[in-house]
Amino acid sequence: MAKFGYTLSGGGPVMKRLKISASFATAGIYAIAGATTTPGVKPCTTTAVTDSAGLTQDTATYTTTKATSMVEGVVTVIINPDLVAQFKMANSATAGTALVATTASAAQTNGLDVTITTGDPAPNSPEMIDGTIVCISGANAGLSRIITASAATKATFTVPFPNSIASGDKFILVPWQPLGAVAKVVNLTSNFAEARQDIAVATGAALRPVEFSFDTSGASNAQRNSFLYVVNDDHVLNTAT
Amino acid sequence: MSITIHVPKPETPQRLMQAAVQAWGPQHTSLAGSRVDDLVQNGKLVMLCSFCDPKFNPRRNGYVSWSRTWLPVGQCDGCKNHGTGLKAWIPESNYDAVAVHEPSRGPRWRRMFARRS
């Protein structure tokens, strides 16, 4: 689930209880404002957080049944527009799937590109130009570069890795760039709780990446325990849109 | 200039009730404890100020702290006053979903003997 990471201002999270117009089955997802005549906020979708109210902190059940014992559906939301949310990264529509690593099949002494191993995801499908490549094993472990060109078997970057790339080195390619102009949206898993790696750059909801947190203590850890920090780019309190 | 002499009146239950009703501040239709109980029964996040927090027993209600470091801004679920530095409690079942990720402080003995440099 998406968690509160921090706020850009450094201030504390402002929590409000908002009325809902649809049930929130899981906590830690974005709530978005409803359309005209809808009685409250509703869950976001996998590709849209338009007019978001913020990040929910509990679940809620929507009801329109009159009863003296009825409980009005409200959900607790952190409404800071500068909220930085922490999303775990996943590799499919199902939350909890490990990130897919790409293994270099050839040595590259200039450190400027990675040739994938047969069976790895093609860097150009889904398209990863403007995304980020992170080395998770080998001499460059823990370092990352922005992908500037792609082909079916190769990802290329303009700024080389400091060490030569060896055959067998592992990398993770993600379709995001911190505060980038193009790779600035995130596609969510079907439960809206995690960020999908297997989607082309510039496809998804208006959640602007701010930074990554890769667990580079081991390739396996990096695939299972890495996070993306995002700011909502279409908040209802954003005066620009 | 006239002088007004206030003579204290006895604090009868009726007078205390009247004072409570006429007290300054937001009027509520339920008692603080009952409001918090309703939130707990519905598995909601509970925000409490430093005055109301000691009256809430999180362990008995199956609640855990939302964060050790971040203190929300909002309305106290107990006294309904707005303020900063509230303490947020969440049901244990929501811990993995929303509790703020914070590095473990380690066991107490390690903290006690931690080297300070």
Side-chain angles (χ1 to χ4, degrees), chain A residues 1-7 10-17 27-28 56-60 71 74-76 78 86, chain B residues 39 42-47 66 70-75 77 80 82 88 90-91 94-101:
Chain A
M1 309 299 159
K3 294 187 174 193
F4 173 82
Y6 52 92
T7 58
V14 181
M15 294 187 182
K16 297 286 181 194
R17 291 220 170 76
T56 62
Q57 296 301 298
D58 48 30
T59 57
V71 177
V74 290
V75 66
T76 311
I78 301 177
Q86 177 200 50
Chain B
L39 293 170
N42 290 307
K44 295 291 182 188
L45 178 143
V46 174
M47 278 185 293
W66 176 74
W70 289 94
L71 300 174
V73 178
Q75 189 178 28
D77 289 320
K80 291 289 177 187
H82 286 272
I90 53 172
N94 280 354
Y95 183 83
D96 286 339
V98 296
V100 176
H101 177 75

Side-chain angles (χ1 to χ4, degrees), chain B residues 15-112:
Chain B
R15 284 187 53 76
L16 287 174
M17 183 74 78
Q18 191 180 19
V21 170
Q22 294 174 345
W24 177 88
Q27 299 297 306
H28 311 301
T29 54
S30 60
L31 297 173
S34 132
R35 282 196 300 273
V36 174
D37 280 350
D38 286 348
L39 293 170
V40 169
Q41 291 223 334
N42 290 307
K44 295 291 182 188
L45 178 143
V46 174
M47 278 185 293
L48 297 169
C49 67
S50 57
F51 294 106
C52 297
D53 187 57
K55 300 172 193 165
F56 179 63
N57 187 333
R59 187 172 293 180
R60 182 179 297 166
N61 291 299
Y63 270 57
V64 292
S65 177
W66 176 74
S67 169
R68 287 198 309 267
T69 50
W70 289 94
L71 300 174
V73 178
Q75 189 178 28
C76 172
D77 289 320
C79 62
K80 291 289 177 187
N81 284 317
H82 286 272
T84 59
L86 303 183
K87 186 143 193 193
W89 300 95
I90 53 172
E92 272 186 271
S93 55
N94 280 354
Y95 183 83
D96 286 339
V98 296
V100 176
H101 177 75
E102 290 160 325
S104 170
R105 292 185 297 178
R108 185 174 175 181
W109 63 266
R110 189 181 293 167
R111 296 202 303 274
M112 289 173 66

Side-chain angles (χ1 to χ4, degrees), chain A residues 127-151:
Chain A
E127 184 57 77
M128 288 291 161
I129 293 179
D130 287 314
T132 304
I133 183 168
V134 183
C135 184
I136 58 172
S137 83
N140 296 300
L143 303 177
S144 63
R145 294 292 183 265
I146 303 301
I147 301 167
T148 52
S150 68

Side-chain angles (χ1 to χ4, degrees), chain A residues 11-37:
Chain A
V14 181
M15 294 187 182
K16 297 286 181 194
R17 291 220 170 76
L18 304 180
K19 298 178 189 298
I20 59 172
S21 59
S23 292
F24 285 78
T26 52
I29 64 174
Y30 272 99
I32 59 175
T36 313
T37 71

